[in-house]
């Protein structure tokens, strides 16, 4: 482990020339242009990295590192205080980076939504990171920062009124405008039908690694009861439909609960909110036809090659500026208290604001004194960066309020 003071870069963005990595690089170049931040962009192609450096007004240094080149990855990791990885599918490209960070005491964040891979990283490298002091933080983008931080803040609010009150039930109502990039589709298709789907899952611990707390399993748990198809509204609450990332959010929150002790057990339910039942029916029918098309090999081939975006492609700048995410959360305590909160992201949450979330997650670990009270290990955003990350997000465009 190298002393942090001797490291060349405060932050290195790995996978910087991909769709979201480029957005993150441009965000840093604009938001932190005159801050004195020492940063680098990293990836496989020197040509693409140098072109991106020009786009970023020449500010970042360039580090050429392919995740299959152990020496290059180790050199990159030893030179940075924190690595923020955009190199997905993460099970395919980012394991060597996590391994190196855990071994060399370098902090790490990524935007993965691959829960099985995160489980594997916890099982393999939590103890290594605890020994080196590295904070390894998965789920630092749209998967799963908004929901993870919402549950953290609502749990805190419940305890303000009664320190003994714990979470019993959490409902999330999502309102968003976004669309998938080629990288996201590659991750999804790889997990469902590609090489990742063929990988035999190893049982590395005799319990769910998401529950790992120190050298044993936490007894805390979260029951995921997400909307599976359609749930018609009642009273003042709108109709909800299935949200493809709800299960990932529930798993991230399960790990946060294991580490932060919100409650011995609570139920988590999330879905996409709709203004009308008719709109909800239309949405779930459209999702069903899309899923059916992907499930049939010939139509999947046609969609993948002619309809869906390719890796490196994504929504237009105009579309991303029109995108948004608003999450409304309602938390009920075991003694009857109810807390309601709302969080809003003003642009496309899947990419443009994911870039911001990931960068700010990394910078929370190393700027303004960092987080010296947080020991090494494999974390979630809520259990590591916590409210300090929320403050950085609010300072750069997010809104959050209790109602």
């Amino acid at each position: 482990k190298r002393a942090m003071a001797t490291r060349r870069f405060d932050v290195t963005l790995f996978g910087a020339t991909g769709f979201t990595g480029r957005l993150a690089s441009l965000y840093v170049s604009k938001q932190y242009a005159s801050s004195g931040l020492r940063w680098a962009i990293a990836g496989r192609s020197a040509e693409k990295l140098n072109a991106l450096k020009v786009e970023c007004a020449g500010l970042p240094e360039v580090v050429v590192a392919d995740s299959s080149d152990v020496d290059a990855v180790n050199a990159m990791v030893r030179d940075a205080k924190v690595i923020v990885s955009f190199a997905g599918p993460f099970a395919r490209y980012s394991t060597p980076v996590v391994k190196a960070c855990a071994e060399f005491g370098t902090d790490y964040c990524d935007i993965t939504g691959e829960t099985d891979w995160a489980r594997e990283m916890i099982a393999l490298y939590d103890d290594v990171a605890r020994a080196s002091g590295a904070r390894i933080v998965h789920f630092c983008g749209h998967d799963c920062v908004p929901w993870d931080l919402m549950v953290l803040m609502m749990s805190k609010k419940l305890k303000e009124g009664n320190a003994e009150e714990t979470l019993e039930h959490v409902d999330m109502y999502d309102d968003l405008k976004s669309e998938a990039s080629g990288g996201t589709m590659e991750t999804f298709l790889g997990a469902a039908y590609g090489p990742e789907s063929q990988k035999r899952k190893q049982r590395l611990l005799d319990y769910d690694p998401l529950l790992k707390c120190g050298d044993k399993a936490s007894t805390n748990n979260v029951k995921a009861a997400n909307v599976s198809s359609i749930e018609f509204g009642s009273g003042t609450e709108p109709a909800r439909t299935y949200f493809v990332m709800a299960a990932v959010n529930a798993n991230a929150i399960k790990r946060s609960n294991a580490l932060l002790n919100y409650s011995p057990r609570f139920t988590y339910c999330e879905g996409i909110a709709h203004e009308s039942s008719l709109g909800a029916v239309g949405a779930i029918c459209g999702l069903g036809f899309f899923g059916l098309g992907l499930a049939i090999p010939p139509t999947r081939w046609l969609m993948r090659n002619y309809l869906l975006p390719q890796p490196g492609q994504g929504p237009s700048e105009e579309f991303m500026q029109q995108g948004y995410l608003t999450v409304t959360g309602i938390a009920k305590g075991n003694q009857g208290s109810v807390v309601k909160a709302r969080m809003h992201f003003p642009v496309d949450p899947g990419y443009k604001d994911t870039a911001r979330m990931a960068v700010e997650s990394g910078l929370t670990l190393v700027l303004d004194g960092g987080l010296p009270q947080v020991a090494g290990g494999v974390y979630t955003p809520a259990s590591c960066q916590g409210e300090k990350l929320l403050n950085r997000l609010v300072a750069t465009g997010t809104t959050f309020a209790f109602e």
Side-chain angles (χ1 to χ4, degrees), residues 118-185:
R119 283 186 166 100
E120 185 179 344
M121 295 303 95
I122 294 166
L124 290 174
Y125 300 118
D126 182 62
D127 289 341
V128 179
R130 288 169 61 206
S132 72
R135 282 81 59 92
I136 309 296
V137 192
H138 300 301
F139 309 119
C140 289
H142 182 241
D143 318 328
C144 306
V145 165
W147 296 270
D148 197 30
L149 292 183
M150 285 275 283
V151 174
L152 168 71
M153 298 306 294
M154 291 192 295
S155 177
K156 284 186 175 182
K157 192 70 171 178
L158 277 176
K159 290 183 180 295
E160 283 181 10
N162 180 351
E164 301 302 314
E165 189 152 22
T166 62
L167 287 174
E168 186 173 83
H169 190 97
V170 172
D171 278 297
M172 294 291 190
Y173 297 82
D174 307 336
D175 178 17
L176 72 158
K177 181 179 181 181
S178 185
E179 64 181 31
S181 74
T184 298
M185 291 310 305

Side-chain angles (χ1 to χ4, degrees), residues 15-349:
T17 60
F19 187 77
T20 311
R22 174 180 171 273
L23 293 173
S25 303
L26 294 174
Y27 172 77
V28 175
S29 71
K30 294 173 183 176
Q31 185 70 26
Y32 296 100
S34 58
S35 67
L37 185 73
R38 298 174 301 146
W39 63 292
I41 51 176
R44 292 178 292 186
S45 169
E47 181 181 358
K48 291 181 179 179
L49 288 166
N50 284 316
L52 179 58
K53 178 175 181 175
V54 173
E55 279 194 272
C56 295
L59 293 173
E61 296 294 324
V62 166
V63 175
V64 178
D66 188 314
S67 62
S68 64
D69 184 337
V70 174
D71 290 338
V73 168
N74 287 348
M76 173 184 73
V77 164
R78 285 195 299 261
D79 266 348
K81 293 180 180 179
V82 61
I83 302 290
V84 182
S85 179
F86 301 91
F90 289 85
R92 201 178 299 174
Y93 297 119
S94 286
T95 298
V97 182
V98 173
K99 179 178 184 292
C101 286
E103 291 175 346
F104 291 110
T106 301
D107 292 333
Y108 169 94
C109 298
D110 64 36
I111 59 170
T112 191
E114 300 162 51
T115 304
D116 285 340
W117 179 71
R119 283 186 166 100
E120 185 179 344
M121 295 303 95
I122 294 166
L124 290 174
Y125 300 118
D126 182 62
D127 289 341
V128 179
R130 288 169 61 206
S132 72
R135 282 81 59 92
I136 309 296
V137 192
H138 300 301
F139 309 119
C140 289
H142 182 241
D143 318 328
C144 306
V145 165
W147 296 270
D148 197 30
L149 292 183
M150 285 275 283
V151 174
L152 168 71
M153 298 306 294
M154 291 192 295
S155 177
K156 284 186 175 182
K157 192 70 171 178
L158 277 176
K159 290 183 180 295
E160 283 181 10
N162 180 351
E164 301 302 314
E165 189 152 22
T166 62
L167 287 174
E168 186 173 83
H169 190 97
V170 172
D171 278 297
M172 294 291 190
Y173 297 82
D174 307 336
D175 178 17
L176 72 158
K177 181 179 181 181
S178 185
E179 64 181 31
S181 74
T184 298
M185 291 310 305
E186 181 67 18
T187 298
F188 171 76
L189 292 170
Y193 308 108
E196 287 74 31
S197 70
Q198 306 301 317
K199 184 179 178 182
R200 187 175 179 180
K201 293 181 176 63
Q202 302 179 64
R203 187 171 176 81
L204 299 170
L205 300 174
D206 60 4
Y207 56 86
D208 185 349
L210 295 175
L211 298 176
K212 188 177 188 299
C213 186
D215 57 3
K216 60 184 179 181
S218 169
T219 58
N220 295 340
N221 213 334
V222 174
K223 177 185 177 183
N226 293 310
V227 179
S228 59
S229 58
I230 187 167
E231 174 189 275
F232 294 103
S234 60
T236 59
E237 304 308 334
R240 287 187 289 185
T241 56
Y242 171 77
F243 178 42
V244 67
M245 299 314 301
V248 179
N249 290 330
N251 278 319
I253 290 160
K254 180 179 182 178
R255 174 129 188 90
S256 295
N257 186 41
L259 297 174
L260 295 177
N261 196 30
Y262 300 142
S263 173
R265 182 178 176 84
F266 70 93
T267 301
Y268 179 86
C269 182
E270 181 185 347
I272 296 178
H274 298 271
E275 292 183 357
S276 70
S277 296
L278 184 62
V281 170
I284 202 66
C285 288
L287 183 62
F289 283 120
F290 179 76
L292 181 63
L294 289 178
I296 301 170
T299 54
R300 180 168 69 244
W301 183 87
L302 288 170
M303 292 170 70
R304 191 170 193 173
N305 287 280
Y306 296 104
L307 295 178
L308 299 176
Q310 300 301 305
Q313 298 176 342
S316 67
E317 179 65 28
E318 180 182 6
F319 180 91
M320 289 190 293
Q321 284 299 129
Q322 296 170 355
Y324 64 88
L325 168 68
T326 302
V327 181
T328 302
I330 301 174
K332 298 175 183 177
N334 66 338
Q335 297 184 28
S337 298
V338 178
V339 170
K340 185 174 183 179
R342 182 168 283 129
M343 186 179 291
H344 178 72
F345 291 79
V347 297
D348 168 73

